[in-house]
Amino acid sequence: MKISAADLFGKVRARKPLIHQITNFVTVNDCANATLAIGGSPVMTSSPKEVEEMVNLADALVLNFGTIDDKALEAMEIAGKAANANNIPVILDPVGVGATSYRTEKVAELLKKVTFQIIRGNASEILRLMGGDIVTRGVDSGELQISNAELAACAANKLNSVIVVSGAKDAVSDGKNTSIIHNGNLLLTNVTGTGCMATALIGTFSGVTDDFYSAAVAGISTMSISGELAAAKLQKDEGTGTFRVRLIDAISRMDKEIWLNEVKINEEVPN
């Protein structure tokens, strides 16, 4: 799997997949820039009147619940169904699910209407998607009595998707195989949108393969490694603003060799 994930960097640079994103208006620019930095081509169309036509041109579709409303939901349902009909992978970022009854109910409705190949969220969000009784404070993850790896594996089986659980240790699971990624830096939690950017990266890798497990590993680990590399470049008088810029720089420089040299990953495989 590690080699499979590593090989995706060259494929993205060569193919420049078109990634359609109906996403969070707070982070839409950073999501587009992260997609460009890794080698993809972003399109951020969100009007219900054109998303079906646009998604049919895309290599992957990312749906982000960060600033959800009725219009965005309509567009997501239209685009998601069109993507499913045309075998275009769909990636869900259930931002803030559990914070309000509206977004919790609406994501449950969308899960019944659209098939998602990959779902990425923090532990609280993923548990809530599974029906767990937890209230999410904004987009922050609460303390849970289950590891991210265990949660990812359980959720993958229940939701029938590759699951990415973000946290101090990111976990990716397809229900049979699970990877734990030990990269990252605390500064990633102090910049708005790094989770959304990670989902955009996952979507970009998904646009060049049908191995969605490897795509998820490549995407989430790229963000975590880039956070480490960006933090290491900071001077003593530089802070989160400079870190944000250096983060995009690090993503833009990421390739197979850097990734293999920097990634810290444990792979759990079935007996």
Side-chain angles (χ1 to χ4, degrees), residues 12 32 41 84 90 92 126 128 155 168-169 191 223:
V12 168
S41 179
N84 286 168
V90 189
L92 174 66
I126 297 300
R128 194 64 186 86
K169 296 179 181 179
V191 175
M223 177 55 67

Side-chain angles (χ1 to χ4, degrees), residues 223-238:
M223 177 55 67
S224 297
I225 294 168
S226 296
E228 289 183 351
L229 296 175
K233 292 282 188 179
L234 290 179
Q235 303 300 310
K236 63 180 181 179
D237 60 342
E238 295 175 338

Side-chain angles (χ1 to χ4, degrees), residues 80-135:
K81 288 180 176 178
N84 286 168
N86 289 280
N87 296 314
I88 296 165
V90 189
I91 297 86
L92 174 66
D93 191 333
V95 179
V97 167
T100 68
S101 57
Y102 174 78
R103 68 179 55 226
T104 303
E105 291 166 2
K106 294 304 180 182
V107 78
E109 291 176 9
L110 194 64
L111 283 168
K112 294 177 181 177
K113 298 174 180 178
V114 176
T115 297
F116 293 95
Q117 280 65 48
I118 305 174
I119 301 173
R120 188 216 66 86
N122 64 39
S124 295
E125 292 160 351
I126 297 300
L127 184 64
R128 194 64 186 86
L129 287 186
M130 296 171 64
D133 185 14
I134 187 167
V135 176

Side-chain angles (χ1 to χ4, degrees), residues 234-248:
L234 290 179
Q235 303 300 310
K236 63 180 181 179
D237 60 342
E238 295 175 338
T240 54
T242 304
F243 173 77
R244 176 173 170 270
V245 174
R246 295 196 189 282
L247 182 63
I248 296 291

Side-chain angles (χ1 to χ4, degrees), residues 140 145 154 172 188 214 257:
D140 297 328
Q145 300 303 311
C154 290
V172 180
L188 287 168
S214 292
E257 289 70 29

Side-chain angles (χ1 to χ4, degrees), residues 17-268:
L18 181 65
I19 312 303
H20 184 183
Q21 301 175 57
I22 303 175
T23 192
N24 183 343
F25 64 66
V26 176
T27 64
V28 61
N29 182 254
D30 283 331
C31 289
N33 280 327
T35 303
L36 285 166
I38 201 63
S41 179
V43 60
M44 319 307 275
T45 300
S46 60
S47 170
K49 295 182 179 180
E50 64 173 346
V51 291
E52 181 174 3
E53 185 177 358
M54 184 61 74
V55 80
N56 287 333
L57 302 175
D59 295 292
L61 171 67
V62 175
L63 304 180
N64 181 304
F65 256 62
T67 50
I68 199 67
D69 58 24
D70 288 350
K71 182 179 178 182
L73 282 166
E74 180 185 359
M76 287 182 181
E77 181 178 343
I78 294 169
K81 288 180 176 178
N84 286 168
N86 289 280
N87 296 314
I88 296 165
V90 189
I91 297 86
L92 174 66
D93 191 333
V95 179
V97 167
T100 68
S101 57
Y102 174 78
R103 68 179 55 226
T104 303
E105 291 166 2
K106 294 304 180 182
V107 78
E109 291 176 9
L110 194 64
L111 283 168
K112 294 177 181 177
K113 298 174 180 178
V114 176
T115 297
F116 293 95
Q117 280 65 48
I118 305 174
I119 301 173
R120 188 216 66 86
N122 64 39
S124 295
E125 292 160 351
I126 297 300
L127 184 64
R128 194 64 186 86
L129 287 186
M130 296 171 64
D133 185 14
I134 187 167
V135 176
T136 302
R137 182 176 62 84
V139 297
D140 297 328
S141 175
E143 293 294 326
L144 305 179
Q145 300 303 311
I146 183 174
S147 72
N148 284 354
E150 293 171 313
L151 178 59
C154 290
N157 285 316
K158 183 164 185 177
L159 299 173
N160 196 30
S161 298
V162 173
I163 301 295
V164 182
V165 182
S166 298
K169 296 179 181 179
D170 302 318
V172 180
S173 183
D174 61 4
K176 296 180 180 179
N177 306 283
T178 301
S179 291
I180 305 166
I181 296 148
H182 299 271
N183 299 92
N185 187 278
L186 281 175
L187 282 173
L188 287 168
T189 66
N190 292 330
V191 175
T192 299
T194 54
C196 299
M197 293 163 67
T199 306
L201 292 172
I202 290 168
T204 306
F205 287 109
S206 300
V208 297
T209 183
D210 57 5
D211 180 357
F212 301 119
Y213 181 67
S214 292
V217 169
I220 192 65
S221 61
T222 291
M223 177 55 67
S224 297
I225 294 168
S226 296
E228 289 183 351
L229 296 175
K233 292 282 188 179
L234 290 179
Q235 303 300 310
K236 63 180 181 179
D237 60 342
E238 295 175 338
T240 54
T242 304
F243 173 77
R244 176 173 170 270
V245 174
R246 295 196 189 282
L247 182 63
I248 296 291
D249 286 346
I251 294 169
S252 72
R253 294 184 60 250
M254 191 65 61
D255 58 18
K256 179 178 180 177
E257 289 70 29
I258 293 173
W259 187 83
L260 285 171
N261 186 59
E262 299 291 339
V263 72
K264 304 179 185 74
I265 187 169
N266 291 339
E267 299 172 38
E268 299 179 2

